[in-house]
Amino acid sequence: MAEQAEDAVISKTYLYLENYNEMQRYISEAVSEVSQVEHADIYNISAERAFLRTIRECKAETIILFEHINKSLEALERDAEAAGEGYKFDALRMKYIEGKTYEDIRNKWNCGKNAPKEWCKTMVKRLSIKLFGAKAIDK
C-alpha cells in the first residue's frame, strides 16, 4: 500500500512537470471575468455567471498549485546546487520546463546516453517530497 502511495505521488509529480507550461498558459489566458469577453453585451452573461465562478475557482486552484510547484522547484535547485548536482536540476529544467530532449541534455553536458533520464528521475523523486511532504516518503 505504501509503495502504491509513493508511486502515485511520483506519477503526479511527473504529471505536474509535463503540464507545467500548460498550467502557466491557463493562468494567463483563462477567461474568468465578464470584462474579458469581447462583445459581452450581445450575450446573456447573467446565465453564464455560475460558469465563470467555476472557472475563477479552477484558476485560483491552478495558481496556488503552480506557486507551490515553483517554490518546490526553487528549493530543489538550491539543494542540488549545494550538493554539487546542479547539472541534474538543469536536466530536469531543460526536459520539463524548456521542452528539450534527452539528446539536447546529453549534448549540453557531454554525458552518457542514459544519464539525463536518470538525473531527471532522481530529481523527480526529490521534488515529489517537496511537493507532497510525508506522503511521498511514507513507507
Side-chain angles (χ1 to χ4, degrees), residues 15-114:
L15 190 63
Y16 290 162
L17 287 169
E18 289 163 356
N19 290 285
Y20 180 88
N21 291 316
E22 188 58 29
M23 284 192 287
Q24 189 172 36
R25 185 207 59 78
Y26 179 81
I27 290 167
S28 65
E29 296 179 10
V31 176
S32 57
E33 303 297 330
V34 174
S35 62
Q36 294 174 281
V37 177
E38 198 171 320
H39 307 296
D41 54 321
I42 64 172
Y43 301 107
N44 181 8
I45 296 297
S46 62
E48 312 307 336
R49 289 197 191 280
F51 183 68
L52 290 174
R53 197 168 27 258
T54 301
I55 294 172
R56 278 193 298 275
E57 289 169 5
C58 289
K59 188 173 180 178
E61 288 174 13
T62 303
I63 290 168
I64 291 166
L65 175 60
F66 192 73
E67 286 302 311
H68 180 58
I69 293 168
N70 282 333
K71 296 278 187 201
S72 298
L73 284 167
E74 290 169 9
L76 181 65
E77 182 177 23
R78 283 191 307 274
D79 292 353
E81 290 292 337
E85 296 179 327
Y87 61 96
K88 290 181 181 180
F89 181 82
D90 188 56
L92 181 83
R93 178 185 17 249
M94 287 177 71
K95 175 71 177 155
Y96 293 101
I97 310 300
E98 298 173 10
K100 304 289 186 186
T101 65
Y102 288 129
E103 184 177 347
D104 295 329
I105 298 165
R106 280 193 301 274
N107 290 336
K108 177 178 180 180
W109 290 102
N110 194 26
C111 58
K113 181 180 180 186
N114 296 324

Side-chain angles (χ1 to χ4, degrees), residues 1-7 9-10 125 129 133-139:
M1 178 88 158
E3 192 171 312
Q4 286 177 329
E6 183 180 351
D7 289 344
V9 295
I10 297 288
K125 285 182 181 178
I129 295 167
K135 188 174 182 179
I137 56 176
D138 193 21
K139 292 259 180 201

